[in-house]
Amino acid sequence: VLLCEDVYSMDATGLNALESLHERLQRRNQHLILCKVSRQPLEVITQSGFLEELGQDNLTTSVDGALQRARGLLYTPAA
């Protein structure tokens, strides 16, 4: 779970870092969940297509929602 509430802007470098983290986690059968993403970073994430790759379910508006998603992933068998 990556809490993003203090990230107010994101450029290509920030997006690249998120994409790289997501790829590394996927290789380890782990998940990236973004929580409390501000408007501008969300626009960058959406317009780049990264949100589609990440999955809408892995974007939450609250810490409780992110933890609930993480718990659900822990107890769901991998496909």
Side-chain angles (χ1 to χ4, degrees):
V1 174
L2 186 60
L3 181 59
C4 301
E5 66 185 344
D6 291 329
V7 178
Y8 300 107
S9 65
M10 181 181 293
D11 60 8
T13 303
L15 179 62
N16 189 2
L18 272 183
E19 291 171 332
S20 294
L21 174 60
H22 179 61
E23 289 170 8
R24 284 193 310 269
L25 291 172
Q26 279 189 316
R27 284 194 300 269
R28 298 171 71 182
N29 293 317
Q30 297 175 331
H31 302 272
L32 176 61
I33 301 168
L34 301 180
C35 176
K36 294 181 130 184
V37 179
S38 299
R39 183 188 56 80
Q40 192 275 342
L42 181 57
E43 288 175 1
V44 170
I45 290 167
T46 302
Q47 291 174 359
S48 69
F50 179 61
L51 180 56
E52 187 174 320
E53 182 180 331
L54 179 68
Q56 185 70 41
D57 291 344
N58 293 321
L59 179 71
T60 67
T61 58
S62 70
V63 173
D64 287 339
L67 294 176
Q68 183 177 1
R69 172 68 176 151
R71 279 190 292 274
L73 291 167
L74 281 174
Y75 299 111
T76 303

